[in-house]
Amino acid sequence: MGSWALAAAVLGFLGVVAHGSEPWLNQTQVYSTNANSGGSNGVFVGLTLIQSAAAKGGLCLDGSLPGYHLHRGFGSGANSWLVNLEGGGWCNDVKSCMFRKNNRRGSSNHMERQLQFTGIMSNRPEENPDFYNWNRVKVRYCDGGSFTGDGADASAGLYFRGERIWQAAMDDLMAQGMRYANQALLSGCSAGGVSTILHCDEFRGLFPSSTKVKCLADAGMFLDTVDVSGQREMRDFFNGIVRLQGSGRSLPRSCTSRMDKTSCFFPQNVVPNIQTPTFILNTAYDVWQLQQSVAPKKADPQGLWRGCRMNHASCNSNQLQFLQGFRNQMLDSVRGFSGSRQNGLFINSCFAHCQSERQDTWYARDSPRLGNKRIAEAVGDWFFDRADAKYTDCAYPCDGTCHHLVFRGDY
């Protein structure tokens, strides 16, 4: 399990926006030939450490203060707030958490002092037509448990305080003016997408009923699925997080009242009971899940899936059939959710991961489309009630608008 945790800890792709790219370990990502407009001129925003967090016990894994990046809104968006929860994998044992506490995933001492805001975070109307002038916040991720932990390991010098970081960040933002919001959107990608789902109704509860509040979860539908060897690697991994970090106390009671705590770390078991309007943005062939839970190296000792993990074009017919089964599970997991009029959905048949914070996939000339809608347009239609926004793609390889991810190297 150690190597799995290490990979999860260092995958920089999971929700980071830094100079418009997401560095995955030693991999280089390239896109299909129809994707050539990934650049952005988004603003660079400084880091603010939450000074009040220490008194509340809201500390990063190493005991340093948590933080966020806030770019103020203006004009018609001056009283609107977009709060984005950073992603970045998890740690499920002491060893992997010790690794994280020495980098930006577990310590504000190692965080970038500025981040570029792109995609849904961009301040440019031509890059982000509906949210560009909102107050936009990136809450940094330094607890390794999707903002759910509430414990510590004194002997290792580790603080599992994700839930307290969440509370301290929200308290600070409310004091910064978010309490006066007339509309608010909570979002996040990957581990941040999980955080968004787990905290969505809690976020709604911060505001009066007159405030329009919704949630957007990008690439957060991690499935409790069987891998190619017949095991459930993801369940074992999530179980380690919940046990180590004491996450069970922070998970939605609408789930834990009827299921075990580990099951309630899986978004598929939480979304059926979310009361707040929510939009799920996901690929049907999530490459992170393909590499780390569907066909991880541990489950593929002979390396039969190596080529398929790195490049969808290298998958043989049997592997594609297995992945079509994964797609069916993804669609089944949101079937009840999508039946609610208040919810939105955009599940495209791409081999990708995280599409709201990348400029080329969020809103660009050749961005992915469903129903002739780019992701930014579908999300905007849903948030502002302009149109019904429920888009489900046909099975691969039917979609020619995808920005597929291809990798060099393996881990």
Side-chain angles (χ1 to χ4, degrees), residues 62-123:
D62 71 335
S64 59
L65 290 174
Y68 59 77
H69 303 252
L70 165 62
H71 192 249
R72 291 285 183 180
F74 57 92
S76 61
N79 290 320
S80 298
W81 286 74
L82 168 60
V83 178
N84 180 278
L85 302 177
E86 186 181 29
W90 306 270
C91 59
N92 72 326
D93 55 26
V94 170
K95 183 178 180 180
S96 59
C97 290
M98 288 290 288
F99 179 87
R100 288 179 73 102
K101 85 173 201 174
N102 292 312
N103 62 50
R104 62 196 169 110
R105 298 299 186 204
S107 171
S108 60
N109 294 328
H110 299 285
M111 289 177 183
E112 306 91 334
R113 266 29 199 179
Q114 288 191 327
L115 286 183
Q116 188 180 24
F117 278 14
T118 63
I120 194 172
M121 303 297 287
S122 173
N123 66 322

Side-chain angles (χ1 to χ4, degrees), residues 23-60:
W24 276 59
L25 201 52
N26 296 316
Q27 283 68 44
T28 298
Q29 60 189 32
V30 297
Y31 299 101
S32 56
T33 55
N34 67 345
N36 54 16
S37 56
S40 170
N41 295 308
V43 65
F44 283 86
V45 182
L47 175 67
T48 298
L49 296 179
I50 306 171
Q51 300 297 330
S52 61
K56 301 172 183 178
L59 303 171
C60 297

Side-chain angles (χ1 to χ4, degrees), residues 83 85 146-150 161-171 174 178 184-186 194-208 213-215 247-254 270 273-278:
V83 178
L85 302 177
S146 282
F147 296 93
T148 64
D150 190 14
R161 300 290 175 77
E163 176 65 23
R164 300 192 198 188
I165 292 173
W166 157 264
Q167 292 173 353
M170 294 305 106
D171 289 346
M174 293 298 271
M178 192 168 73
L185 176 63
L186 180 69
V194 174
S195 303
T196 297
I197 289 169
L198 297 179
H199 288 290
C200 181
D201 284 339
E202 200 174 346
F203 186 69
R204 162 73 269 185
L206 296 173
F207 303 93
V213 181
K214 298 187 178 185
C215 303
S247 298
R249 294 183 292 274
S250 304
L251 299 174
R253 293 182 182 177
S254 60
V270 177
N273 293 293
I274 290 180
Q275 300 300 305
T276 308
T278 300

Side-chain angles (χ1 to χ4, degrees), residues 130-399:
D130 285 314
F131 307 106
Y132 72 95
N133 63 348
W134 285 31
N135 296 280
R136 286 155 291 106
V137 187
K138 168 79 74 174
V139 181
R140 298 305 295 268
Y141 179 39
C142 64
D143 65 276
S146 282
F147 296 93
T148 64
D150 190 14
D153 186 320
S155 61
L158 289 169
Y159 297 84
F160 306 123
R161 300 290 175 77
E163 176 65 23
R164 300 192 198 188
I165 292 173
W166 157 264
Q167 292 173 353
M170 294 305 106
D171 289 346
D172 203 72
L173 292 173
M174 293 298 271
Q176 292 289 336
M178 192 168 73
R179 70 179 66 183
Y180 304 114
N182 51 35
Q183 49 192 1
L185 176 63
L186 180 69
S187 75
C189 151
S190 195
V194 174
S195 303
T196 297
I197 289 169
L198 297 179
H199 288 290
C200 181
D201 284 339
E202 200 174 346
F203 186 69
R204 162 73 269 185
L206 296 173
F207 303 93
S209 58
S210 57
T211 306
K212 185 174 192 171
V213 181
K214 298 187 178 185
C215 303
L216 164 64
D218 179 8
M221 288 299 291
F222 293 90
L223 300 183
D224 187 3
T225 189
V226 175
D227 64 34
V228 295
S229 69
Q231 303 301 309
R232 290 183 179 270
E233 180 78 2
M234 203 71 188
R235 169 165 279 273
D236 290 344
F237 187 72
F238 276 2
N239 186 54
I241 299 169
V242 171
R243 288 179 178 273
L244 176 71
Q245 300 216 19
S247 298
R249 294 183 292 274
S250 304
L251 299 174
R253 293 182 182 177
S254 60
C255 182
T256 56
S257 63
R258 58 189 175 82
M259 303 183 78
D260 65 273
K261 294 173 182 177
T262 298
S263 293
C264 294
F265 206 88
F266 283 97
Q268 69 193 79
N269 299 320
V270 177
V271 294
N273 293 293
I274 290 180
Q275 300 300 305
T276 308
T278 300
F279 192 103
I280 290 178
L281 166 62
N282 231 96
T283 61
Y285 311 95
D286 186 288
V287 293
W288 195 93
Q289 294 187 68
L290 168 59
Q291 294 185 353
Q292 297 292 357
S293 63
V294 176
K297 290 178 71 175
K298 179 180 177 182
D300 181 36
Q302 295 180 306
L304 300 177
W305 278 80
R306 183 184 182 280
C308 183
R309 280 198 301 269
M310 297 296 104
N311 184 351
H312 62 284
S314 299
C315 299
N316 62 38
S317 58
N318 289 333
Q319 290 168 336
L320 284 175
Q321 185 176 4
F322 193 94
L323 294 177
Q324 299 298 11
F326 178 79
R327 171 182 177 268
N328 290 338
Q329 291 180 60
M330 181 72 70
L331 297 180
D332 286 344
S333 72
V334 297
R335 184 159 285 117
F337 167 89
S338 64
S340 172
R341 292 185 62 186
Q342 70 176 11
N343 295 329
L345 194 70
F346 193 105
I347 298 185
N348 51 357
S349 291
C350 306
F351 285 81
H353 183 74
C354 289
Q355 300 179 96
S356 64
E357 298 169 31
R358 290 194 55 89
Q359 196 56 55
D360 66 315
T361 47
W362 173 249
Y363 192 76
R365 177 183 54 79
D366 61 348
S367 291
R369 295 174 186 258
L370 289 179
N372 203 32
K373 293 281 187 177
R374 287 170 285 191
I375 294 169
E377 293 168 324
V379 171
D381 285 349
W382 161 78
F383 187 90
F384 295 102
D385 305 305
R386 294 190 297 239
D388 186 45
K390 292 184 173 66
Y391 300 98
T392 303
D393 211 350
C394 48
Y396 174 83
C398 72
D399 190 341

